[in-house]
């Protein structure tokens, strides 16, 4: 029997959702249910049909036209909420600024005017490579206002990653900054951008936000300072109504190959999904809550729960540039206290770090404003869950463990905070209107408790509409393993109460500190170094980051495996992919374990990396070497 935590009584008594009537409404008539949710948005042209097509070809709110920026800004200002704070921006180095809905609308229009002057039109793609500054959501919304799609590239990604994403999407404009602050240091975003644009590039114009004041090279005819290009005076740029299925954004995510996928999200369905789930999961009260999703906008969590979900609901959010341990380990709690944060949404990795650093950092601040806590991005271990609830939440806040993906657009599974008795580590139940099912290896729903695969059997509003430029990969990746179902790539368990536990990825995708990285990407980065003949990469469990990257490398004949080389290769991977993809350990080995047909035995490498007993290895040609490797792996851990 697992540990069960009913909603705290005070919370439950005041929760906006206290029963499962929404689930019942959705079960009784799914289309009518989603149509009702969609109508909480403002449509320039009402939709004629709720949904058409099957999973591989779904279209939501057919015939409807709307604008995402209008729904996030104008309609709130028109309703008299112009003075409400949209973002409390908490930057590094004591920079802070509160921005109202009216101010945000004004800045978005001025940037939209600039983008329009640069030739950005409906359907174009604009790349955004910025730190967590207000100009980031402003740029996204300025694109949306014109009906153009944004492709935000996480500021921690390398020049090569930026280049690949820009080329794949054919972005005509790039918005970046002279640099970004990180833990007091500076990330050279503009230098990276210059490298990414060298040679042939689809980018014609670059807007550069001044953030750090670092000296940067400005290329004549291509680069302009944001503060010079964007008009200082208000301009009226109408929000263009677009078809419900107009591309809102691309967001690249790792798959099982070395090439990231450009996940496509469209306007009406996505906005309906994230707006509704922001209300349900967080029991959101836009007039009193201060919501803090502590993710980076470079990942889907930030797109959906810093930008579109909260803004569509006229909520007040914290926009945080920093890191949890700079300048001190109490940084989060200082921010919670300063703004009176009521809802905090963060990743298990961060919670495990807080736990390691000790409760005194939390206790040093008044965090009694908190009323609800959420987690996302990776499985949370029960000890971290309980610590979060007790130490951060003082026992009075429900904890929602939300499962979803870049591809799902918004949350799919979570306990409802005023309804479900939560179990630490369990994502519990589908939110209303989502056909999530755990199936066996033949695609049959599990009849009772057991382990299987997480699938979704009906189209849902926020689902990805495709992989940019690669319809075949879209079908193969998500719909081929279980015909008639979307396969998420995660294993899942159903317990005796019918609740769903996420067991983690069953494909070659790692989850490091809540970030998806494919083993193939890291392998390909490693073998691009001249010293490397062959590389195999696996994820292994890590106390803080959930998983850590373990690499096994064989070298070309003339190279030797000194400590320098390990460091060189880590740096090399950081340069090719970005610092988050650096392997934690690299073991050099004259040979990799292979089957007779020459396939690398990843399962065996995972066992080695995890320190598990290798069992019978006598069928391997190089059994002795595997034993030795496993001893060295143990020493390296
Ligand atoms: C994992 C992040 C366990 C999962 C929003 C999924 C989780 C991948 C949870 C998506 C959770 C996300 N419990 N695992 N609550 N939430 N995951 O696309 O493996 O960056 O497939 O989206 O993270 O990662 P992505």
């Amino acid at each position: 029997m697992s540990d069960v935590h009913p909603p705290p009584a005070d919370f439950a008594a005041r929760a906006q959702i206290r029963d499962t009537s929404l689930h019942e409404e959705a079960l009784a008539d799914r289309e009518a249910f989603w149509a009702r949710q969609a109508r909480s948005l403002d449509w320039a042209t009402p939709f004629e049909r709720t949904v058409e097509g099957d999973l591989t070809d779904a279209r939501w709110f057919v015939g409807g036209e709307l604008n995402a920026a209008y729904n996030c800004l104008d309609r709130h200002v028109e309703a008299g909420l112009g003075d409400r704070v949209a973002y409390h921006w908490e930057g590094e180095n004591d920079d802070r600024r509160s921005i109202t809905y009216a101010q945000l609308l004004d800045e978005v229009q001025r940037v939209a005017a600039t983008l329009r002057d640069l030739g950005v039109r409906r359907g174009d793609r604009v790349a955004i490579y910025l730190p967590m500054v207000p100009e980031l959501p402003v740029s996204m919304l300025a694109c949306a206002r014109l009906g153009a799609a944004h492709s935000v590239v996480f500021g921690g990604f390398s020049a090569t990653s930026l280049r690949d994403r820009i080329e794949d999407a054919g972005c005509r404009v790039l918005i970046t900054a002279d640099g970004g602050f990180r833990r007091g240091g500076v990330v050279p975003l503009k230098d990276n951008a210059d490298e990414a644009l060298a040679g042939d590039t689809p980018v014609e114009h670059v807007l550069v936000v001044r953030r750090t004041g670092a000296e940067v090279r400005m290329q004549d005819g291509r680069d302009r300072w944001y503060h010079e290009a964007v008009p200082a005076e208000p301009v009226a740029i109408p929000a263009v109504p677009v078809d419900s299925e107009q591309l809102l954004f691309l967001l690249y995510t790792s798959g099982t190959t070395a090439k990231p996928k450009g996940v496509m999200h469209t306007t009406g369905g996505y906005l309906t999904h994230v707006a509704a789930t922001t209300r349900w999961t967080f029991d959101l009260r836009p007039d009193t809550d201060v919501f803090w999703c502590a993710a980076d906008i470079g990942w889907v969590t930030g797109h959906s729960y810093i930008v579109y979900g909260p803004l569509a609901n006229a909520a007040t959010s914290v926009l945080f540039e920093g890191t949890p341990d700079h300048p001190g380990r109490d940084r989060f709690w200082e921010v919670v206290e300063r703004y009176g944060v009521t809802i905090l949404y963060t990743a298990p990795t961060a919670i495990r770090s807080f736990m390691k650093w000790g409760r005194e950092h939390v206790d040093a601040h008044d965090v009694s404003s908190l009323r609800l806590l959420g987690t996302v991005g990776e499985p949370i271990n029960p000890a971290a869950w309980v610590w979060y609830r007790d130490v951060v939440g003082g026992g009075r806040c429900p904890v929602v463990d939300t499962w979803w993906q870049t591809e799902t657009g918004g949350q799919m599974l979570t306990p409802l905070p005023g309804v479900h008795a939560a179990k630490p580590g369990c994502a519990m139940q589908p939110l209303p209107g989502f056909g999530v099912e755990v199936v066996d290896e033949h695609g049959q729903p599990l009849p009772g408790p057991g382990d299987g695969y997480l699938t979704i059997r009906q189209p849902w509003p926020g689902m990805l509409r495709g992989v940019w430029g690669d319809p075949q990969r879209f079908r193969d990746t998500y719909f081929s393993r279980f015909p008639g179902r979307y396969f998420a790539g995660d294993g899942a368990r159903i317990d005796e109460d019918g609740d769903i536990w996420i067991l983690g990825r069953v494909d070659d995708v790692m989850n490091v500190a809540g970030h998806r990285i494919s083993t193939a990407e890291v392998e390909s980065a490693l073998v691009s170094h001249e010293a490397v003949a062959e590389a195999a990469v696996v994820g292994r469990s890590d106390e803080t980051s959930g998983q850590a990257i373990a690499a096994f490398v064989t070298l070309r004949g003339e190279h030797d495996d000194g400590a320098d080389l390990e460091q060189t290769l880590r740096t090399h991977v950081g340069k090719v992919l970005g610092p988050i993809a650096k392997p934690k350990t690299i073991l050099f080995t004259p040979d990799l374990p292979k089957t007779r047909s020459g396939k690398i035995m990843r399962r065996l490498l995972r066992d080695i990396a995890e320190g598990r007993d290798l069992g019978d290895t006598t069928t391997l040609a190089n059994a002795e070497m595997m034993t030795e490797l496993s001893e060295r792996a143990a020493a390296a851990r």
Side-chain angles (χ1 to χ4, degrees):
M1 198 49 216
S2 42
D3 187 16
V4 176
H5 300 257
D10 279 358
F11 185 95
R14 302 179 44 220
Q16 296 171 96
I17 302 178
R18 298 179 206 180
D19 57 32
T20 54
S21 52
L22 272 183
H23 292 83
E24 283 141 29
E25 181 194 338
L27 274 179
D29 188 343
R30 212 170 72 89
E31 288 195 22
F33 171 79
W34 280 120
R36 184 168 78 81
Q37 295 304 326
R39 288 196 187 100
S40 68
L41 299 176
D42 222 277
W43 294 81
T45 311
F47 51 92
E48 287 151 18
R49 276 176 309 285
T50 302
V51 57
E52 276 182 354
D54 63 14
L55 274 165
T56 58
D57 177 31
R59 293 171 305 276
W60 282 86
F61 311 120
V62 182
E65 291 187 311
L66 76 170
N67 183 285
Y70 180 85
N71 274 281
C72 288
L73 302 170
D74 305 59
R75 63 169 177 154
H76 305 320
V77 175
E78 287 165 16
L81 301 176
D83 291 338
R84 180 179 290 174
V85 171
Y87 290 121
H88 293 294
W89 177 56
E90 175 78 14
E92 282 220 352
N93 307 334
D94 284 333
D95 275 339
R96 51 185 75 96
R97 195 171 125 203
S98 292
I99 304 158
T100 65
Y101 273 90
Q103 290 167 336
L104 197 57
L105 173 58
D106 168 59
E107 184 159 345
V108 166
Q109 293 192 82
R110 288 185 287 114
V111 175
T114 308
L115 292 177
R116 199 186 55 182
D117 290 349
L118 295 178
V120 173
R121 298 285 178 268
R122 178 189 308 198
D124 287 345
R125 279 83 55 208
V126 172
I128 303 177
Y129 184 56
L130 284 173
M132 286 285 285
V133 291
E135 289 82 353
L136 173 48
V138 164
S139 298
M140 295 162 76
L141 292 162
C143 291
R145 195 165 191 85
L146 299 174
H150 50 75
S151 170
V152 177
V153 179
F154 173 55
F157 278 139
S158 66
T160 317
S161 303
L162 177 62
R163 178 186 193 87
D164 292 347
R165 286 159 173 78
I166 285 174
E167 279 181 3
D168 188 73
C171 298
R172 300 180 53 195
V173 171
L174 167 67
I175 305 175
T176 187
D178 55 358
F181 290 117
R182 193 171 160 79
R183 289 204 174 88
V186 167
V187 184
L189 295 173
K190 178 63 166 67
D191 293 352
N192 290 350
D194 287 340
E195 198 181 325
L197 302 184
D200 270 354
T201 177
V203 169
E204 296 155 20
H205 303 283
V206 181
L207 284 178
V208 185
V209 173
R210 181 128 77 197
R211 173 68 186 119
T212 61
E215 185 111 356
V216 294
R217 202 177 59 87
M218 298 292 277
Q219 181 172 313
D220 256 3
R222 187 193 71 183
D223 302 351
R224 294 187 66 189
W225 287 105
Y226 178 102
H227 63 268
E228 289 174 2
V230 174
E233 295 302 314
V235 265
I237 298 288
V240 186
V242 297
D243 189 272
S244 176
E245 284 298 338
Q246 174 78 40
L247 187 68
L248 178 63
F249 65 85
L250 294 177
L251 185 56
Y252 284 80
T253 186
S254 294
T256 53
T257 70
K259 188 180 182 311
K261 301 174 282 212
V263 167
M264 297 166 66
H265 282 291
T266 59
T267 308
Y270 171 81
L271 206 59
T272 299
H273 184 155
V274 299
T277 52
T278 305
R279 292 192 292 273
W280 298 335
T281 301
F282 301 115
D283 184 48
L284 184 76
R285 292 158 208 268
D287 47 345
T288 49
D289 274 321
V290 178
F291 178 69
W292 182 16
C293 168
D296 191 290
I297 293 177
W299 307 98
V300 74
T301 305
H303 279 61
S304 301
Y305 298 103
I306 299 178
V307 184
Y308 291 107
L311 294 180
N313 284 296
T316 296
S317 290
V318 172
L319 179 65
F320 177 65
E321 184 181 35
T323 43
D325 56 353
H326 181 81
R329 289 177 165 181
D330 62 342
R331 181 74 172 128
F332 265 45
W333 321 118
E334 180 199 336
V335 172
V336 167
E337 182 173 18
R338 172 166 303 122
Y339 299 108
V341 171
T342 56
I343 302 168
L344 175 64
Y345 190 35
T346 189
T349 291
I351 299 165
R352 286 189 291 267
S353 299
F354 298 142
M355 203 173 150
K356 202 163 65 188
W357 297 338
R359 70 170 296 152
E360 62 271 24
H361 302 292
V362 186
D363 292 342
H365 295 275
D366 178 3
V367 297
S368 61
S369 55
L370 288 169
R371 67 180 192 92
L372 186 143
L373 302 172
T375 77
V376 58
E378 36 170 338
I380 182 164
N381 47 312
W385 193 102
V386 168
W387 190 90
Y388 195 32
R389 186 181 195 273
D390 292 349
V391 176
V392 178
R396 47 174 210 285
C397 308
V399 176
V400 292
D401 175 358
T402 64
W403 176 88
W404 57 292
Q405 309 178 295
T406 305
E407 292 86 342
T408 69
Q411 297 159 346
M412 301 295 279
L413 294 174
T414 180
L416 271 178
V419 177
H420 293 116
K423 301 173 185 174
C426 180
M428 300 294 295
Q429 290 287 327
L431 282 160
F434 300 115
V436 178
E437 273 179 359
V438 181
V439 300
D440 66 18
E441 56 192 354
H442 307 296
Q444 295 303 315
L446 295 187
D451 290 1
Y453 303 92
L454 198 65
T455 69
I456 305 168
R457 77 185 140 77
Q458 293 156 324
W460 65 100
M463 73 180 292
L464 80 166
R465 300 300 197 267
V467 171
W468 181 259
D470 202 344
Q472 190 60 43
R473 189 168 180 199
F474 172 60
R475 285 190 293 272
D476 291 349
T477 308
Y478 303 107
F479 308 102
S480 65
R481 173 95 182 251
F482 301 110
R485 293 173 180 276
Y486 166 87
F487 174 44
D490 281 303
R493 168 173 302 158
I494 298 203
D495 69 14
E496 50 292 346
D497 304 319
D499 294 322
I500 301 175
W501 299 70
I502 306 298
L503 301 174
R505 304 289 305 191
V506 295
D507 53 12
D508 290 323
V509 174
M510 299 173 287
N511 189 327
V512 181
H515 302 317
R516 269 164 77 168
I517 301 168
S518 90
T519 56
E521 270 175 295
V522 182
E523 286 166 2
S524 142
L526 282 166
V527 297
S528 72
H529 191 276
E530 49 160 19
V532 176
E534 199 173 26
V537 165
V538 297
R540 65 163 167 83
S541 49
D542 183 88
E543 216 177 284
T544 306
S545 59
Q547 279 196 311
I549 302 175
F552 298 86
V553 166
T554 63
L555 295 173
R556 291 185 190 282
E558 66 276 21
H559 293 276
D560 80 47
D561 54 358
D564 283 358
L565 191 56
E566 179 170 356
Q567 199 41 47
T568 305
L569 291 181
R570 295 181 74 247
T571 309
H572 175 73
V573 174
K575 175 101 184 75
V576 176
L577 294 173
I580 52 164
K582 284 184 187 175
K584 184 152 183 185
T585 52
I586 298 180
L587 282 184
F588 297 103
T589 166
D591 230 339
L592 290 167
K594 290 192 182 150
T595 61
R596 279 180 208 287
S597 60
K599 252 188 100 179
I600 293 176
M601 299 182 69
R602 289 172 175 287
R603 184 179 313 186
L604 189 65
L605 287 176
R606 275 196 289 267
D607 286 344
I608 290 175
E610 296 286 4
R612 283 194 287 260
D613 183 19
L614 297 190
D616 183 9
T617 52
T618 49
T619 55
L620 284 173
N622 39 14
E624 231 166 78
M625 203 192 66
M626 288 309 117
T627 312
E628 196 227 304
L629 196 56
S630 131
E631 284 161 13
R632 280 166 43 211
R637 267 205 321 274

